[in-house]
Amino acid sequence: MNRVEGRVKVTGLATYAAEYPVEGVAYAYPVQSLIAKGRVARVDAAAALDLPGVLAVLSVADPPELAEDADAELALFQRREVAYRGQIIAAVVAESYDGARAAADAVRVEYEPADHDVSLRADHPGLYRPEVVNPNFPSDTEQGDLEAGLAQAATVVDVTYTTPVLHNNAMEPHAALAVWDAEGTLLVYDSTQGATTDRDMIAKTLGLPRGRVRVVARHVGGGFGSKGTTRPHAVLAALAARATDRPVKVALTRQQMYDVTGYRTPTIQRLRLGADGEGRLTALEHVAYEQSSTLKEFAEQTAVPARVMYATPALRTAHRLVRLDVATPSWMRAPGECPGMYALESAMDELACATGIDPVELRLRNEPETEPESGLPFSSRDLAGCLREGARRFGWERRDPEPGVRRDGEWLIGTGVAASTYPSKRSPCQAVACVRDGGFLVQVAAADIGTGARTALTRIAAETLGVAPDRVHVELGDSDLPAAPVAGGSMGTASWGSAVVRACEELKKDGREGRADTAEEVRQDSELARHAFGAQFAEVRVSAVTGEIRVSRLLGVFAAGRIVDARLARSQFIGGMTMGLGMALMEETLTDEEFGGFLRRDLAQYHIPACADVPDVEAVWLEEEDERLNPMGSKGIGEIGIVGTAAAIGNAVHHATGHRVRELPITPAKIVMARF
């Protein structure tokens, strides 16, 4: 299918959060803290209020009314204490955007600064063990005797990898438009990955019943996790609209997004792997060090993938967290799995080199019969098939295992492989299907963040009803529609699709309308280990003169259940692999040690891949039937593409040069330094 919303997007008719036409709209622009820690002593708004067109200044000097239990990142202007540089401490509302921005510059803020700490390190005295990691995994797990397994191993690898702060950088910046009506009901047009959950959080923050808040997000220009939870801009729009009795729009700049819309935590990861003479693991330990803010705890599940991947009699995973004077990290595409699998799959490559076993063969030798940590049977697992098919397509049998020996003039050539995995779950969802104007209307508060959700759900509904897709209209992106979970965790299609199937089945019985709520069905899901798997292969060319790295080929092979729509699936797999390429070679947000906050705050400095950066990228999948997952038999595909890519590229760089770079991103400077 072509995307059902394709025409309105390419003709400019699709309306995003900042674009809804509302009469009398005003604009709010935030004033952000210039210190990383301390206190706001005074806010002088006199000069700003004297400027023409300025309607109001909101600040910590006169805190607006919010719920006492409001989320700490959303409780705007409630406290004078500063938790991080870039925190919103005031905002100007004016008749125009330019007027609001100019007036924000005129607001004078006096601070009482304090010494700040923004540096993650593995020996930080503030490190502690969180009770759980995102979303609700135990922080630490251990089974078997790790030290005994390492002691009896024929080969031991003990390595540490680091990943930097990364930012999501969706094409559409975060924006919101808030409108209060005469009855005190709030309408928010927001750039969000979930209208239902966004409505609930906004209502909770403002101390309102859910029925008095409505969120609309019919088109969203990407999110990658940064729009998966409510962000301060939406609350700011609501507060500013209430204070001025006007509709108010907030559109964050690209630079502001780096401060207040979340980011991927940096990580320091130590792995210890032991293997016997046949290359079978005798022990595996994965410990991750991460950061959160002083405002709230967010602990990413970085070491959790190690609980899924390989058979070993001794397995230990652990997470340690430190609360720093930084903004709170959050979700970024494949949180946990992405940085965690980079380190694990890089360490597996080092183990392959140390044992002299082919990297594909080493992974095959350590295939588990059941999920290693839980012992649960897999609903389906075909990682072996992905590795074998990928090796066949990539021409892996022609690979010379010796690193640093293949050249084309100044270019060193290498190939690498890595495995990938991501959970395949679903959440409760509601949907309604009915007959309308000779066709069918399906309603569900899902979100299309550019993934093609409308198209996928249209296809699912049409197949269930036994009609042509052009007879089905799917309405989504509105919290007044039947409640739905966020587009996140690769659960969207599985969750929304299950409800759509059940609603359409009821419609076929009733003839007029069908309603579905999958809460009970999801609760009764059989206890199985549910995961998608894949294998990524990369070929790189590294200049022996400059250290420049070019990725000449990328291949991903995936086992992700039934593919609902091939065109959408290929787009998602390649999109994930492209982000993985950026993670491997380019993306990095630097922390400003002296002043706090982040450096490289726009796309001129935070580099992301372009088409020229990988001339040959291919994504394919295996036929996989898994009827125990959901009515479609589908697994999530939005995130697994990114998971193994960085490790595959890093492993290829080692194969090309003979040097192992364990600190992402792998830059020309690091390649050159590794040679001396």
Side-chain angles (χ1 to χ4, degrees):
M1 286 178 61
N2 287 324
R3 292 199 181 207
V4 296
E5 83 282 12
R7 181 175 295 276
V8 296
K9 282 187 174 178
V10 300
T11 57
L13 296 176
T15 307
Y16 294 82
E19 301 174 334
Y20 283 87
V22 175
E23 292 288 333
V25 67
Y27 300 82
Y29 193 88
V31 177
Q32 297 176 267
S33 170
L34 297 180
I35 64 171
K37 183 180 181 180
R39 190 173 184 274
V40 176
R42 182 170 176 265
V43 178
D44 183 356
L49 290 168
D50 285 342
L51 293 174
V54 173
L55 303 174
V57 174
L58 288 69
S59 79
V60 297
D62 184 19
E65 183 178 349
L66 290 179
E68 291 184 2
D69 61 346
D71 179 279
E73 284 279 8
L74 303 179
L76 298 182
F77 318 128
Q78 300 301 295
R79 43 182 267 171
R80 289 179 175 267
E81 289 72 24
V82 174
Y84 59 91
R85 184 181 177 93
Q87 182 178 337
I88 297 174
I89 56 174
V92 175
V93 190
E95 296 284 357
S96 70
Y97 174 81
D98 289 338
R101 187 166 186 168
D105 288 339
V107 175
R108 297 290 172 258
V109 181
E110 296 178 8
Y111 300 97
E112 296 172 357
D115 293 338
H116 61 261
D117 181 3
V118 295
S119 301
L120 172 67
R121 61 183 197 270
D123 61 350
H124 196 291
L127 286 164
Y128 69 96
R129 171 184 170 177
E131 184 177 341
V132 297
V133 294
N134 177 62
N136 197 33
F137 293 107
S139 174
D140 294 10
T141 61
E142 187 166 2
Q143 59 190 43
D145 189 330
L146 182 78
E147 297 302 332
L150 292 171
Q152 72 184 41
T155 305
V156 174
V157 167
D158 185 344
V159 286
T160 298
Y161 299 89
T162 64
T163 61
V165 172
L166 298 176
H167 274 86
N168 308 58
N169 277 303
M171 185 179 294
E172 177 204 15
H174 293 62
L177 171 59
V179 185
W180 293 86
D181 67 15
E183 286 73 41
T185 297
L186 173 65
L187 168 62
V188 182
Y189 299 99
D190 194 12
S191 184
T192 176
Q193 292 174 223
T196 301
T197 54
D198 196 34
R199 174 204 62 192
D200 294 350
M201 183 57 75
I202 292 172
K204 177 184 176 183
T205 303
L206 298 176
L208 296 173
R210 288 186 302 181
R212 287 180 54 191
V213 178
R214 179 187 177 194
V215 170
V216 173
R218 301 207 182 277
H219 297 280
V220 181
F224 313 111
S226 69
K227 298 173 183 175
T229 57
T230 302
R231 298 300 180 189
H233 70 277
V235 176
L236 174 57
L239 292 176
R242 187 169 67 184
T244 59
D245 197 25
R246 293 271 296 273
V248 172
K249 182 184 298 185
V250 176
L252 297 182
T253 66
R254 179 68 60 181
Q255 291 81 4
Q256 289 168 341
M257 288 167 53
Y258 280 73
D259 296 321
V260 297
T261 65
Y263 60 92
R264 195 193 297 283
T265 177
T267 71
I268 302 168
Q269 302 177 57
R270 183 186 181 193
L271 286 105
R272 293 195 291 167
L273 281 65
D276 63 20
E278 299 298 318
R280 291 182 174 83
L281 290 170
T282 60
L284 192 163
E285 180 185 47
H286 190 170
V287 181
Y289 302 88
E290 308 165 351
Q291 71 184 37
S292 192
S293 71
T294 59
L295 286 177
K296 56 187 289 190
E297 180 182 279
F298 177 83
E300 187 154 308
Q301 68 276 31
T302 305
V304 166
R307 304 171 188 176
V308 174
M309 288 302 297
Y310 300 114
T312 176
L315 173 64
R316 177 177 181 262
T317 63
H319 300 80
R320 295 296 178 265
L321 192 68
V322 61
R323 308 283 285 273
L324 300 174
D325 302 314
V326 297
T328 309
S330 186
W331 305 334
M332 184 171 176
R333 198 173 198 165
E337 280 72 14
C338 185
M341 285 292 284
Y342 157 69
L344 175 60
E345 289 302 294
S346 299
M348 285 292 287
D349 197 70
E350 296 207 43
L351 183 63
C353 292
T355 58
I357 299 173
D358 178 81
V360 171
E361 177 60 27
L362 180 72
R363 289 167 171 82
L364 293 173
R365 291 185 188 184
N366 286 283
E367 267 287 285
E369 294 183 3
T370 60
E371 188 179 58
E373 193 265 334
S374 70
L376 291 173
F378 290 101
S379 63
S380 58
R381 174 182 170 121
D382 199 6
L383 173 58
C386 293
L387 288 164
R388 292 189 175 105
E389 177 63 13
R392 184 188 70 80
R393 287 174 175 265
F394 202 71
W396 190 260
E397 75 281 357
R398 299 189 299 273
R399 181 182 192 258
D400 185 335
E402 187 68 23
V405 298
R406 294 181 61 200
R407 294 185 71 122
D408 178 11
E410 74 175 69
W411 296 94
L412 302 166
I413 303 171
T415 53
V417 63
S420 55
T421 187
Y422 201 78
S424 297
K425 299 180 180 179
R426 59 175 175 163
S427 291
C429 183
Q430 301 173 12
V432 172
C434 62
V435 176
R436 190 187 73 168
D437 300 331
F440 302 90
L441 172 66
V442 176
Q443 295 177 308
V444 56
D448 194 331
I449 60 174
T451 55
R454 281 184 180 83
T455 305
L457 294 177
T458 298
R459 185 165 193 149
I460 290 169
E463 290 180 356
T464 307
L465 293 169
V467 300
D470 60 7
R471 294 187 61 196
V472 176
H473 176 71
V474 173
E475 186 178 0
L476 48 72
D478 188 333
S479 65
D480 277 1
L481 298 173
V486 299
S490 291
M491 294 189 295
T493 300
S495 303
W496 312 324
S498 295
V500 167
V501 167
R502 300 308 181 212
C504 289
E505 290 173 344
E506 290 300 313
L507 171 59
K508 290 171 69 176
K509 295 177 185 177
D510 181 86
R512 292 171 299 175
E513 181 182 271
R515 293 181 174 271
D517 184 339
T518 64
E520 184 61 29
E521 178 179 332
V522 171
R523 276 195 295 269
Q524 293 181 0
D525 278 348
S526 57
E527 197 167 354
L528 297 167
R530 306 164 189 268
H531 305 273
F533 291 93
Q536 273 101 333
F537 293 78
E539 179 184 82
V540 302
R541 297 165 63 88
V542 183
S543 170
V545 178
T546 66
E548 177 187 357
I549 305 164
R550 290 291 181 185
V551 179
S552 47
R553 284 195 295 157
L554 268 182
L555 168 67
V557 182
F558 304 96
R562 180 200 165 207
I563 299 301
V564 173
D565 185 281
R567 185 174 296 177
L568 296 178
R570 182 178 182 274
S571 174
Q572 286 300 295
F573 287 138
I574 289 178
M577 291 164 66
T578 304
M579 283 188 75
L581 186 155
M583 174 186 176
L585 303 181
M586 305 171 189
E587 296 186 47
E588 180 180 25
T589 309
L590 298 180
T591 298
D592 189 330
E593 303 286 344
E594 183 175 1
F595 297 106
F598 297 123
L599 303 171
R600 296 184 181 172
R601 294 158 49 84
D602 55 43
L603 295 179
Q605 301 173 81
Y606 186 101
H607 294 166
I608 58 176
C611 292
D613 289 310
V614 55
D616 183 359
V617 56
E618 183 182 9
V620 298
W621 47 88
L622 308 180
E623 295 295 329
E624 183 177 63
E625 294 186 7
D626 193 336
E627 298 179 353
R628 296 181 289 183
L629 289 170
N630 52 61
M632 299 80 62
S634 64
K635 297 180 179 180
I637 59 174
E639 292 168 284
I640 192 171
I642 191 176
V643 171
T645 304
I649 292 171
N651 295 339
V653 169
H654 170 262
H655 184 237
T657 65
H659 299 291
R660 182 76 62 174
V661 179
R662 300 188 180 96
E663 178 185 355
L664 291 185
I666 305 171
T667 61
K670 292 173 184 175
I671 294 293
V672 172
M673 291 299 293
R675 295 175 56 203
F676 298 100

